[in-house]
Amino acid sequence: AAHIHSPAGGQGMNTGIQDMMNLGWKLALVLKGQASPELLDTYQEDRLPVMRAILSRTEGMTEMMGNENPLMRGIFNHLVPWLGNLDFIEENAVARISQLALNYRDSSLSVHHPAGGSLRAGDRAPELVLRAAIHHKKYEEGRLFSLLSPSRFTLLLINFPDSSPIEAQLIKALEPWRQLIVNVQVEPSYGPQRKQYRDYFGMRPSVVLIRPDAYVGFRGNERYINKLAEYCRLWLSPDANLRVA
């Protein structure tokens, strides 16, 4: 990827890394025959709006910093440092500049159904502490990102008192892609991040399919398992399991 723009805001490296993370897993799956070639079209669909927004911001910052108008220079020199010291602006600026706040909600690769909580398909998975169990092992507390992998999808089963019935449905519905998707049962931690967990995921049972680049591809409740299967059928190969190296 190549983006010609001002270095204002230090966006070049972050943009390149995000481009690589977005395209890398898609190329890998297509080259292995595990995904439809149409998956590659979503790279531009995901990233082009981000690139345009970054170009607009960096050009605006460059124009403001280089403005020779005394009034504009005074505003820039006195108002900007004051604003930069405000906590909420500082937090938002860090998330925006690091590009952790961007989302792909408008991408065709993002499918959202009602599920509760603020997390939507297309959002970056939140980095928070929770309790997780894989293959019905004992729940252990840890960070969500420790469960993710750049070589596969992670399907979170959220707030299920007993995940056995939903897992039985998932095993049947997602059989062609069982090698590409790992099911993880999660529940809130006992610590201070319990509220943050509820804010993101709500209190109702739901499923969250996280892409290899840590963005949510699909979200819905237990009534949308067939829609999740349709999602996988659209983007992944029907014989994906036979192509696992």
Side-chain angles (χ1 to χ4, degrees):
H3 316 296
I4 301 174
H5 60 84
S6 163
Q11 296 293 279
M13 181 184 71
N14 291 336
T15 303
I17 291 172
Q18 285 277 11
D19 288 341
M20 177 272 294
M21 290 298 295
N22 187 284
L23 183 58
W25 68 273
K26 297 173 183 178
L27 272 175
L29 291 184
V30 172
L31 289 174
K32 290 178 182 178
Q34 295 174 314
S36 164
E38 284 73 25
L39 181 64
L40 298 179
D41 294 335
T42 65
Y43 166 70
Q44 176 170 302
E45 190 178 346
D46 282 352
R47 296 298 299 163
L48 194 56
V50 175
M51 298 171 194
R52 286 173 173 162
I54 289 172
L55 286 172
S56 176
R57 286 200 302 271
T58 56
E59 288 174 0
M61 290 174 65
T62 302
E63 183 177 345
M64 181 180 294
M65 288 186 293
N67 196 302
E68 297 299 329
N69 183 293
L71 177 60
M72 292 300 297
R73 293 299 302 174
I75 292 175
F76 181 81
N77 291 334
H78 295 90
L79 185 60
V80 171
W82 176 77
L83 289 173
N85 288 326
L86 298 178
D87 290 342
F88 75 94
I89 290 182
E90 183 177 347
E91 291 173 4
N92 289 334
V94 169
R96 183 179 293 275
I97 291 175
S98 64
Q99 298 192 30
L100 298 181
L102 66 86
N103 67 72
Y104 305 130
R105 290 185 178 184
D106 294 329
S107 170
S108 59
L109 198 54
S110 302
V111 176
H112 187 85
H113 297 285
S118 63
L119 188 69
R120 296 183 59 85
D123 291 350
R124 184 175 184 270
E127 174 60 313
L128 49 79
V129 175
L130 42 65
R131 289 167 47 78
I134 302 177
H135 304 309
H136 297 284
K137 294 182 180 179
K138 183 180 178 181
Y139 276 90
E140 295 183 0
E141 187 160 290
R143 306 196 72 84
L144 173 56
F145 268 62
S146 68
L147 304 171
L148 309 184
S149 169
S151 62
R152 57 163 168 75
F153 293 83
T154 303
L155 183 62
L156 303 183
L157 309 183
I158 308 287
N159 299 330
F160 285 93
D162 178 8
S163 63
S164 298
I166 190 69
E167 283 211 89
Q169 295 181 52
L170 290 168
I171 290 172
K172 181 178 180 180
L174 305 181
E175 167 62 22
W177 313 286
R178 67 181 184 278
Q179 300 293 339
L180 291 179
I181 304 173
V182 171
N183 295 349
V184 182
Q185 301 84 42
V186 298
E187 64 181 25
S189 72
Y190 299 130
Q193 291 204 14
R194 189 178 184 88
K195 180 182 183 302
Q196 191 177 14
Y197 174 100
R198 297 298 192 193
D199 290 342
Y200 280 116
F201 297 123
M203 301 181 67
R204 292 181 293 166
S206 68
V207 294
V208 178
L209 183 69
I210 302 179
R211 307 175 348 181
D213 61 352
Y215 281 81
V216 177
F218 181 97
R219 180 137 199 244
N221 59 39
E222 65 270 31
R223 297 195 301 271
Y224 292 97
I225 300 304
N226 61 324
K227 295 295 184 182
L228 176 58
E230 289 178 11
Y231 178 92
C232 294
R233 195 174 299 114
L234 176 63
W235 299 112
L236 303 177
S237 301
D239 59 348
N241 287 331
L242 302 178
R243 298 177 180 271
V244 175

